[in-house]
Amino acid sequence: MADNARAKRLADLIREVVAQKLQRGIKDPRLGSHVTITDTRVTGDLREATVFYTVYGDDEERAAASAGLESAKGILRSEVGKAAGVKFTPTLTFVMDALPDTARNIEDLLDKARQSDEKVREASAGAAYAGEADPYRKPDESEDDAEAVEADETDDTAK
């Protein structure tokens, strides 16, 4: 089994080779310039590589790009084998990266939270405290209160 550093180096090499070949070497119109390789992961035994990609466009363009990558898989694997110089060239699996969709969902949730915060801020703009503005006793007030309580107690005992 290979070490993690070797798998990382091979994953980086695969990402670079696939991106360059998609940009310059493959003439498939389905791939075009709207396919971006975002990440590559290689298993510990260096036999399988997963290539994550994103596509700029709608669902139809995503489906076309997926079909284009599947048809170009053999050419891309042979280019990776030439560049890597390893005993066994890893098999390539292309997976649509969910990162842009996840980021969009997070942005939507943050916008909702901002709107909710703004509503709370507007509702509390004219609000006043339920009690006094400063509900805590001050040290000098507690001494005065203690003297007043003692005076009340002496008045009660005197009666």
Side-chain angles (χ1 to χ4, degrees):
M1 196 155 155
D3 60 349
N4 288 336
R6 186 171 180 199
K8 174 82 170 108
R9 284 193 311 268
L10 183 60
D12 291 342
L13 178 72
I14 291 171
R15 186 180 69 238
E16 290 174 15
V17 168
V18 169
Q20 287 176 357
K21 193 66 177 172
L22 286 176
Q23 186 178 17
R24 296 188 188 116
I26 296 179
K27 303 296 183 201
D28 192 343
R30 296 177 291 186
L31 298 175
S33 62
H34 54 274
V35 176
T36 304
I37 305 299
T38 56
D39 192 19
T40 306
R41 296 186 186 148
V42 178
T43 58
D45 61 356
L46 306 179
R47 296 282 181 160
E48 298 176 13
T50 305
V51 180
F52 295 93
Y53 66 96
T54 59
V55 179
Y56 181 74
D58 58 358
D59 290 335
E60 184 178 313
E61 290 176 348
R62 290 179 186 156
S66 176
L69 286 170
E70 285 300 318
S71 69
K73 187 185 288 189
I75 297 168
L76 294 172
R77 185 173 179 215
S78 65
E79 288 295 320
V80 167
K82 289 178 190 175
V86 292
K87 185 175 184 179
F88 180 81
T89 303
T91 58
L92 301 178
T93 305
F94 293 96
V95 176
M96 178 72 75
D97 197 355
L99 184 68
D101 295 332
T102 305
R104 190 175 313 115
N105 289 339
I106 290 173
E107 284 296 324
D108 291 343
L109 291 173
L110 288 174
D111 286 340
K112 288 180 184 177
R114 286 185 198 106
Q115 291 172 357
S116 176
D117 287 348
E118 185 61 32
K119 288 179 184 176
V120 168
R121 196 175 297 116
E122 289 174 3
S124 67
Y129 291 105
E132 298 176 13
D134 187 12
Y136 301 104
R137 288 188 171 181
K138 306 288 187 265
D140 59 337
E141 290 178 7
S142 63
E143 292 172 4
D144 293 338
D145 291 341
E147 291 173 3
V149 169
E150 287 176 13
D152 288 341
E153 290 175 0
T154 54
D155 290 338
D156 290 338
T157 56
K159 290 183 185 177

